[in-house]
Amino acid sequence: MATQLPTTDIRIGADLIRRRKGGTPIVCLTAYTYPIARLLDPYVDLLLVGDSVAMVLHGHETTLGASLEMMIAHGQAVMRGSAKACVVVDMPAGTYEDSAAQAVVSARRIVGESGCQAVKLEGGVDMAAQIAAIVAADIPVMGHIGLQPQSVEKDGGYKIKGRTDENVAALIADALAVEKAGAFSLVIEGTIETVAADITRRIAIPTIGIGASGECDGQILVIDDMVGLTVDRVPKFVKQYADLRSVIAHAAERYASEVRDRDFPGPTHVFSRTNGGDES
């Protein structure tokens, strides 16, 4: 029998997230699949269908492996599994940078085909026109400054931001530009703590930290990092709340052993004329 989604009278929208500035911290996690969205939805305010899916689920070395079709498909899955959280879908590299017109077309497709509440794109001053155009098209936008995974090849690796006065000034300018362009919130990633805290105080929209500051208006982690499923290096800023790698590996080990020893399937896992022919 199919299980039912949790019911709620209202789904959290971008406007409600915006109004959370300075209030109870906003709880955010990434989600890429229907079952994970269902599990997380009761506990979070926002689910991000991040382009990190290219690395986490598809095995790419960077987020540049994400495509528009990939993001839409995972956005659809998360929307099917979510009833309450604000669902935001990342705009993948190559789908918005060239022009405001390109950005609007891509954003409309993401929202139209997935049903999500908002899109997210990386960049500050250089992407202000794209953000403003998408917002003008009545699509809420979440910004993203600091360490920008889509620019990792251009930056020569994953480098923490805010270490020099020049970089700090650029980060502040980016945050102000994103706010002015009309974004409803701003992710700050991989940024020196005091700089992220200062940006949070300077702008009127909520900041969502990841490797940033506890003073941000909310926090986000990649779900696979948080539950201990990451197979490669885990970033310093991650706190693991579970060790599912060990749980899954142990379960697979037990299953393999029982199959090889012919202990599985047992009498309760097969059908006979006496125990009935259905699956109940």
Side-chain angles (χ1 to χ4, degrees):
M1 178 182 297
T3 53
Q4 299 297 311
L5 282 172
T7 58
T8 181
D9 293 332
I10 184 171
R11 181 184 286 277
I12 298 170
D15 285 343
L16 183 56
I17 296 295
R18 183 196 292 269
R19 294 199 296 270
R20 293 279 294 275
K21 176 71 179 182
T24 302
I26 303 162
V27 180
C28 314
L29 283 167
T30 66
Y32 317 112
T33 65
Y34 168 81
I36 292 297
R38 288 204 55 177
L39 288 171
L40 301 183
D41 192 63
Y43 307 103
V44 302
D45 303 303
L46 186 148
L47 289 172
L48 173 65
V49 186
D51 57 2
S52 50
V53 67
M55 303 170 69
V56 173
L57 294 189
H58 294 272
H60 291 277
E61 292 187 3
T62 71
T63 63
L64 299 179
S67 66
L68 199 60
E69 290 73 22
M70 182 188 296
M71 300 311 303
I72 290 169
H74 286 286
Q76 291 169 339
V78 170
M79 282 298 295
R80 293 186 196 109
S82 167
K84 174 182 74 72
C86 179
V87 176
V88 180
V89 176
D90 260 339
M91 299 186 71
T95 66
Y96 62 91
E97 301 95 318
D98 288 348
S99 68
Q102 180 201 35
V104 171
V105 169
S106 298
R108 280 177 171 158
R109 186 174 170 197
I110 290 172
V111 173
E113 295 185 31
S114 73
C116 68
Q117 282 67 63
V119 297
K120 180 173 78 67
L121 60 81
E122 297 181 9
V125 172
D126 58 335
M127 290 296 133
Q130 281 85 333
I131 294 171
I134 297 171
V135 172
D138 293 324
I139 298 172
V141 177
M142 171 182 276
H144 184 149
I145 66 168
L147 192 160
Q148 298 172 38
Q150 292 178 8
S151 300
V152 66
E153 292 183 355
K154 180 178 67 177
D155 289 349
Y158 293 93
K159 296 181 178 179
I160 300 304
K161 306 300 181 180
R163 295 191 185 277
T164 67
D165 290 344
E166 181 181 9
N167 188 230
V168 170
L171 287 168
I172 293 172
D174 281 341
L176 293 173
V178 169
E179 177 187 27
K180 184 177 180 180
F184 73 93
S185 60
L186 175 66
V187 171
I188 305 176
E189 180 172 358
T191 297
I192 295 297
E193 194 277 335
T194 52
V195 178
D198 183 45
I199 290 172
T200 298
R201 290 188 290 267
R202 283 174 180 258
I203 64 175
I205 58 175
T207 59
I208 308 298
I210 176 167
S213 172
E215 292 190 36
C216 289
D217 298 295
Q219 300 294 327
I220 188 167
L221 285 175
V222 170
I223 182 61
D224 293 65
D225 291 343
M226 193 270 279
V227 299
L229 278 176
T230 305
V231 297
D232 297 315
R233 184 182 68 86
V234 177
K236 174 186 177 180
F237 55 74
V238 171
K239 179 176 180 178
Q240 292 188 343
Y241 288 81
D243 181 15
L244 295 193
R245 286 184 66 186
S246 295
V247 172
I248 292 171
H250 181 57
E253 181 183 31
R254 288 178 55 204
Y255 169 72
S257 176
E258 290 189 9
V259 169
R260 290 173 181 135
D261 292 340
R262 297 193 182 278
D263 291 331
F264 177 82
T268 60
H269 305 112
V270 295
F271 302 102
S272 68
R273 293 184 179 182
T274 57
N275 70 5
D278 58 27
E279 296 186 14
S280 60

